[in-house]
Amino acid sequence: MDRRSFLRKNTDVLTAPALAAAPLPARPTAADDDEPISKFANKQLPTTARSTAGLAPYTGTWGYTQAAHLLRRSLFGPTRTEIVAAAGRTLTQVLNDLLTAPAAPAPPLNVSATDTSVAVGQTWVTQAFDQNFEGVRRSSLRAWWLGQMLGQTMSLAEKMTLFWHNHFVVELGDINDARFGYQYAALLRQHALGNIKQLAKDVTVNPAMLRYLNGNQSTAGAPNENYGRELLELFTVGKGPLIGAGNYTTYTEADVQAAARVLTGWRDSAANLNSYYTASRHDTTTKQFSAAFGSASIANGGDQEYKALIDLIFAQPETARFLCRKLYRWFVYYVIDATTEQNVIEPLAQLLIQNGYNVGPVLRTLLSSEHFFDSVNMGCVIKSPIDFTLTVARQLQITFPPASSVVAQYGMWDYLNGITNLQQQVVGDPPNVAGWAAYWQTPQYYEIWINAVTLPRRNQFTDQMISTNGYTRNGAKINIDALALVLALPAATASDANLLIAELTRLLFPIPLTANQLAYLNDVLLPGLPDFEWTDEWTQYLANPTNVAKKTAVTTKLQALLRSMMGLAEYHLS
């Protein structure tokens, strides 16, 4: 497979300025593809003034609004309980939790009778490879991964695991071994909040990556350049300004070739479920790098030589800058103007270098900064399909089957993966080696998530979840229990129409609604009726909760309210 074909679809991006365009290439668009980019999306980067604040610690008001902003960017769909709890603590205490890695989860389980290698409810991750079982194992892996995000703790670990998946990309369908896919996912989670340089070393010889970028085929006589090229362009230093055919200020074509020779000799073993080094396949000559790397050379180092390559690359300051820009676009916003580059990116890069490429201090500094909490950076991100879908599930308290019903549980996780796939994002399979285009494709960026294909899919999902019927699979049903959601609110809030709408608004939207929007929602809840009618109906229901008519009356109104709220444009923002 030619994983570089997408580069030839938009060659103008290749020479765009690094600061303004984050120069990564465009995703391919076949004639029969679903619409990838709305015709209404940006034609140029927004010129709206951005924050001039830097990384000084935020010392302003700390309450529900600030806690919600932090958790929306750090978690997938923070619940009201999580936001209220965070608002009652200090910012430092909340960040301490967010930057604490949880214990590694148990591996994915078999939930299909097709896979006869293990019983249903047991793990398949160490079983022998069998092409007949690959499809159901891969589905199990995707479902499990989605389940980890859905059941996240108060930690950045899952958000960062997905970040690294979008950065050190592999596609599960291409590697064709779900066991290697699990090892890859476990590696990302292990280093999610840890050392980026060590992650780069480990992923370089990870079996899934060796397969995906053909490192397992690279020999002294025929060095394969795929991984060496992506390591430089997409994973580490990135492209600086173009200075010649295939040459950039940050690396040259000769550096790609030298890196490829360093990486020769590695293979993967399906039988032993690992990677291994074969000395006879390794290029033992000295590898010479360009002036971009200080004209350094790497002598033969056998199976340790790849580590010297990673050390050389991470010795370049531009590697830290490149990584910090990607973190910024993941957590804050996609426009990085000259002020942000100077006040945020550069000091973050220096901090990353000073901390030996441990990502924790960088995340703590960014997420506790005046810049992060500037109002201009609130509500400016369009939720990814995964974030959107999990936010619906978590914030609106959909109840999923328990672990004791493993087939039903995995079935619902698999269903959510299907929903995100329809919205053009599925865990385990970014569209190409550059990752999801919303994080690099200039000038559209996040706007790519919303188009004529994906917006109806989002609305169909929320409409289905708010309906009484919901979705049923394997004898289990999931839907939004609007009544239970409101019953969990303070009694005085639940019984007052305007307080109820206000409370749901601050949970579901990252920016305030207008007076007209609030009046519209009030009319949805109480069409043509005075506010006290809600108080009366709610009180009557509480007095007689088993009365079907009274229960139906309030449930129907709440479902209509939530459906309308989820239909607003602001609901797609984070």
Side-chain angles (χ1 to χ4, degrees):
M1 175 183 177
D2 181 3
R3 297 186 182 84
R4 305 290 300 173
S5 62
F6 71 98
L7 286 172
R8 295 187 284 274
K9 300 292 184 177
N10 191 6
T11 56
D12 60 315
V13 179
L14 300 181
T15 57
L19 178 59
L24 286 172
R27 176 183 173 181
T29 305
D32 57 351
D33 275 355
D34 286 345
E35 179 186 350
I37 300 175
S38 169
K39 63 182 179 179
F40 301 108
N42 289 332
K43 300 299 186 295
Q44 60 183 23
L45 285 173
T47 56
T48 308
R50 301 301 305 158
S51 175
T52 59
L55 295 176
Y58 175 72
T59 57
T61 301
W62 174 255
Y64 187 101
T65 298
Q66 293 72 30
H69 172 58
L70 174 61
L71 296 189
R72 284 189 182 104
R73 299 295 176 84
S74 303
L75 306 177
F76 296 102
T79 65
R80 180 180 180 274
T81 299
E82 289 168 339
I83 295 171
V84 170
R89 307 178 73 205
T90 67
L91 173 56
T92 297
Q93 289 173 327
V94 175
L95 283 170
N96 288 344
D97 286 346
L98 289 174
L99 292 167
T100 299
L109 306 175
N110 175 38
V111 291
S112 173
T114 300
D115 188 347
T116 56
S117 67
V118 293
V120 169
Q122 300 298 312
T123 189
W124 45 263
V125 300
T126 57
Q127 297 300 310
F129 176 79
D130 189 318
Q131 190 64 59
N132 294 315
F133 306 154
E134 176 61 18
V136 294
R137 288 178 178 178
R138 201 179 303 161
S139 295
S140 165
L141 174 58
R142 293 187 205 280
W144 169 85
W145 197 335
L146 193 286
Q148 303 313 307
M149 292 186 278
L150 182 67
Q152 68 198 319
T153 63
M154 184 63 72
S155 171
L156 272 160
E158 289 303 324
K159 205 72 175 275
M160 284 300 295
T161 298
L162 189 63
F163 172 83
W164 293 123
H165 175 39
N166 183 64
H167 182 74
F168 292 111
V169 173
V170 306
E171 299 175 58
L172 298 181
D174 285 2
I175 64 174
N176 194 43
D177 193 326
R179 305 170 309 160
F180 285 165
Y182 167 67
Q183 288 183 345
Y184 161 81
L187 177 65
L188 300 184
R189 187 169 282 105
Q190 175 190 348
H191 292 295
L193 297 172
N195 190 276
I196 305 174
K197 186 194 293 189
Q198 187 60 51
L199 174 57
K201 289 178 179 178
D202 291 349
V203 83
T204 294
V205 293
N206 176 267
M209 185 63 78
L210 287 171
R211 279 199 180 184
Y212 180 60
L213 289 177
N214 310 112
N216 59 353
Q217 303 170 15
S218 192
T219 66
N224 189 293
E225 296 177 8
N226 281 359
Y227 184 76
R229 188 175 303 280
E230 311 307 2
L231 178 65
L232 295 174
E233 178 184 339
L234 300 178
F235 300 166
T236 56
V237 295
K239 285 181 176 178
L242 186 69
I243 58 175
N247 297 333
Y248 304 88
T249 55
T250 48
Y251 70 89
T252 68
E253 193 66 19
D255 293 323
V256 172
Q257 295 165 2
R261 290 161 52 211
V262 167
L263 298 167
T264 53
W266 287 92
R267 309 182 75 176
D268 67 87
S269 170
N272 296 319
L273 261 177
N274 64 356
S275 60
Y276 65 99
Y277 172 80
T278 302
S280 62
R281 293 165 62 96
H282 179 64
D283 185 323
T284 59
T285 65
T286 296
K287 292 80 178 178
Q288 182 65 49
F289 289 81
S290 74
F293 293 91
S295 300
S297 62
I298 296 179
N300 178 38
D303 63 355
Q304 300 300 301
E305 193 171 331
Y306 75 95
K307 297 178 182 178
L309 173 62
I310 299 300
D311 287 340
L312 175 62
I313 294 171
F314 276 76
Q316 311 309 309
E318 190 55 38
T319 296
R321 297 186 188 104
F322 182 80
L323 291 167
C324 287
R325 290 186 196 112
K326 293 199 73 170
L327 287 166
Y328 184 89
R329 289 191 168 99
W330 187 263
F331 284 106
V332 185
Y333 192 54
Y334 59 79
V335 174
I336 300 177
D337 59 19
T339 301
T340 300
E341 181 75 15
Q342 176 182 330
N343 294 348
V344 179
I345 302 302
E346 186 60 31
L348 282 180
Q350 295 306 314
L351 184 65
L352 186 58
I353 293 169
Q354 292 163 14
N355 283 276
Y357 281 92
N358 286 309
V359 75
V362 169
L363 293 174
R364 181 182 293 274
T365 298
L366 176 63
L367 299 179
S368 63
S369 68
E370 290 180 349
H371 186 90
F372 181 77
F373 286 103
D374 192 311
S375 60
V376 75
N377 287 323
M378 294 185 178
C380 60
V381 172
I382 295 175
K383 295 172 187 168
S384 72
I386 289 174
D387 202 2
F388 179 84
T389 302
L390 292 178
T391 294
V392 173
R394 298 190 79 250
Q395 288 194 335
L396 297 173
Q397 299 178 17
I398 295 175
T399 300
F400 286 83
S404 57
S405 301
V406 65
V407 173
Q409 182 185 61
Y410 271 64
M412 289 306 180
W413 293 345
D414 181 67
Y415 164 70
L416 292 187
N417 269 325
I419 293 297
T420 69
N421 193 16
L422 291 173
Q423 299 170 41
Q424 299 175 351
Q425 184 184 33
V426 60
V427 67
D429 273 297
N432 53 54
V433 69
W436 287 292
Y439 301 106
W440 58 261
Q441 176 62 74
T442 187
Q444 294 84 19
Y445 287 100
Y446 312 145
E447 293 192 12
I448 288 172
W449 293 133
I450 303 294
N451 57 54
V453 173
T454 62
L455 184 57
R457 297 296 192 182
R458 290 185 178 215
N459 292 337
Q460 289 164 8
F461 172 63
T462 55
D463 284 350
Q464 183 174 27
M465 287 299 100
I466 195 57
S467 72
T468 301
N469 292 333
Y471 174 77
T472 300
R473 183 170 177 176
N474 296 317
K477 185 180 83 169
I478 58 171
N479 72 328
I480 298 167
D481 187 337
L483 195 55
L485 181 71
V486 175
L487 283 169
L489 300 176
T493 300
S495 64
D496 184 292
N498 292 310
L499 292 179
L500 171 60
I501 292 170
E503 187 64 26
L504 292 175
T505 294
R506 71 174 186 160
L507 172 66
L508 301 181
F509 304 110
I511 57 177
L513 298 186
T514 66
N516 286 342
Q517 286 175 310
L518 293 172
Y520 160 73
L521 293 174
N522 183 285
D523 195 54
V524 170
L525 182 66
L526 294 166
L529 299 173
D531 292 350
F532 67 78
E533 287 289 345
W534 172 255
T535 304
D536 287 348
E537 288 193 47
W538 184 252
T539 302
Q540 291 177 35
Y541 160 70
L542 292 179
N544 194 358
T546 59
N547 183 290
V548 175
K550 297 184 186 300
K551 180 179 181 180
T552 301
V554 293
T555 299
T556 302
K557 288 181 171 63
L558 291 173
Q559 287 175 328
L561 174 64
L562 289 171
R563 182 180 293 108
S564 295
M565 295 180 87
M566 291 187 291
L568 294 178
E570 290 83 355
Y571 188 63
H572 299 272
L573 300 178
S574 171

